Amino acid sequence: MSVHGGQLTQTGHSAEDRSGWGIPVPIDLESLNADLEDGQATVDIGIFHPSNLEPAHRQRVELETVIDGVLEARRIFALVGLQLAVVSVRTGLVDPELLVFHAEAPGSELPRGRYANLYKESQKRPSRLSSTALAALESVIGNGPDHDRRIHLVVLEDVFISFHDRIDERTWQLKTIATNALSFPAYTHRDTIPRHLRGVITLTNLGRPQSWKTVAHELGHKLINASHEYRDSDPQHEAYGDEGLLQYGSGTDIPSGRDGRFHRERLHRSPFIYRRDASGSKTWNPDYLDGGGYYDPIYEGLTVGFDPS
Ligand SMILES: [Zn+2]
């Protein structure tokens, strides 16, 4: 039943599309959302696709590829009872200086704390956005109704992050890498990102063989609020495996229960989820109670304790 699609043209979404950054891409959102049902757990997604990407880069992140990624994610999350609504697709010019940035503010040159596990260390010392990242996201995403409860897929040319490889007991090597996509999850940033921007996921390269999974994987980080982990494997900066959605590889499983690190249960606690009733009003999941770390009280009984790596 095309309940959501029908309402998209009647509610704030159409009004919102007449203001702010860029212009709406002429896509039939009603058809795109035709299968969504009232009463089901739902996440809204807005897509921002700059019109002035360098041609050599653009081929890696064509709008069509982004939408294909969302449709793949929709199939994966439907298996665990979550539907994805595409509520806005916009294009326009982005200040060329803001198309490339380093995600983190100065301070990221410091290695992560090493005496508690990754999530507890992030709780104490969350990542903060760089001023360029903030300016870029503000200029494209801006503010609007429900912006703090929506996923914003923002296509950019390059988003860099830095991390430290441990060489030995007292030596770390700083590496700066270009991300293919970045989810800015609450377990890393807590509430340091302005609320209306906190749903951001950047996409910079969907041109690799595994890219069909990228949008779903990043949505997984954001909505499950967990790093690269799966069953017996504790979270780490990079983790390969062909089973779980939160691993690199071909896996799409979102397991449940303690053995599954509560991924499915955590997903359904996400503050980005709502249910819409027949009158069109949305009931949101409760928001984070303590900034949104991995151990936030909304996940009571749905966390895993583990030692520092
Ligand atoms: Zn990842």
Side-chain angles (χ1 to χ4, degrees):
M1 204 170 116
S2 170
V3 176
H4 286 248
Q7 285 170 351
L8 282 174
T9 54
Q10 296 162 19
T11 61
H13 300 310
S14 57
E16 183 194 347
D17 271 348
R18 285 194 290 272
S19 62
W21 176 80
I23 55 167
V25 175
I27 283 180
D28 184 357
L29 294 180
E30 197 165 333
S31 303
L32 200 57
N33 294 313
D35 292 335
L36 302 186
E37 291 177 15
D38 280 344
Q40 297 293 314
T42 308
V43 168
D44 283 348
I45 295 177
I47 299 172
F48 301 86
H49 197 267
S51 56
N52 55 328
L53 299 172
E54 288 291 341
H57 171 255
R58 190 181 185 85
Q59 61 190 3
R60 297 178 159 196
V61 279
E62 294 286 4
L63 179 58
E64 204 171 78
T65 317
V66 175
I67 290 176
D68 283 349
V70 172
L71 296 180
E72 194 63 54
R74 183 180 267 177
R75 282 187 281 276
I76 291 166
F77 285 101
L79 296 173
V80 292
L82 177 70
Q83 56 185 9
L84 304 177
V86 181
V87 296
S88 169
V89 183
R90 300 182 68 92
T91 188
L93 293 169
V94 174
D95 179 347
E97 201 175 341
L98 299 178
L99 284 169
V100 177
F101 59 73
H102 191 280
E104 296 134 11
S108 59
E109 67 276 9
L110 203 59
R112 195 175 72 217
R114 52 179 161 150
Y115 298 114
N117 74 38
L118 175 151
Y119 295 136
K120 287 180 179 170
E121 290 292 350
S122 293
Q123 176 84 11
K124 291 188 279 188
R125 190 148 56 81
S127 296
R128 292 169 193 279
L129 291 182
S130 69
S131 55
T132 326
L134 199 54
L137 301 181
E138 188 70 68
S139 76
V140 176
I141 297 171
N143 210 340
D146 294 342
H147 256 43
D148 60 334
R149 296 282 195 158
R150 181 183 295 185
I151 298 298
H152 312 286
L153 298 182
V154 179
V155 172
L156 292 164
E157 270 183 14
D158 258 323
V159 173
F160 292 93
I161 58 169
S162 298
F163 66 95
H164 293 79
D165 266 350
R166 185 101 175 250
I167 307 299
D168 61 37
E169 174 63 20
R170 293 175 57 210
T171 312
W172 282 259
Q173 185 173 40
L174 179 63
K175 288 185 176 171
T176 297
I177 62 162
T179 58
N180 296 308
L182 194 59
S183 64
F184 302 87
Y187 70 80
T188 299
H189 291 268
R190 297 198 68 205
D191 52 3
T192 64
I193 300 177
R195 277 187 70 91
H196 60 290
L197 305 176
R198 68 179 181 170
V200 64
I201 292 174
T202 54
L203 303 174
T204 40
N205 182 10
L206 299 178
R208 301 167 310 129
Q210 287 296 2
S211 291
W212 60 271
K213 175 180 159 177
T214 299
V215 172
H217 175 86
E218 300 305 329
L219 280 168
H221 283 314
K222 196 74 144 187
L223 301 175
I224 297 168
N225 202 6
S227 184
H228 301 112
E229 53 167 51
Y230 183 70
R231 296 195 180 273
D232 295 334
S233 132
D234 286 342
Q236 44 209 307
H237 187 72
E238 292 177 310
Y240 294 86
D242 285 326
E243 294 172 296
L245 179 65
L246 294 187
Q247 294 176 309
Y248 295 133
S250 59
T252 59
D253 185 31
I254 302 173
S256 67
R258 176 164 291 278
D259 289 349
R261 306 186 81 95
F262 303 111
H263 282 184
R264 199 174 303 184
E265 294 84 354
R266 291 175 62 87
L267 171 70
H268 279 277
R269 295 278 171 94
S270 173
F272 292 98
I273 290 179
Y274 68 90
R275 285 173 172 76
R276 178 176 276 185
D277 67 21
S279 73
S281 72
K282 297 174 171 177
T283 303
W284 295 95
N285 272 0
D287 208 346
Y288 300 122
L289 291 167
D290 186 27
Y294 173 85
Y295 293 103
D296 191 280
I298 68 164
Y299 301 114
E300 191 181 353
L302 303 177
T303 61
V304 176
F306 55 96
D307 295 331
S309 52

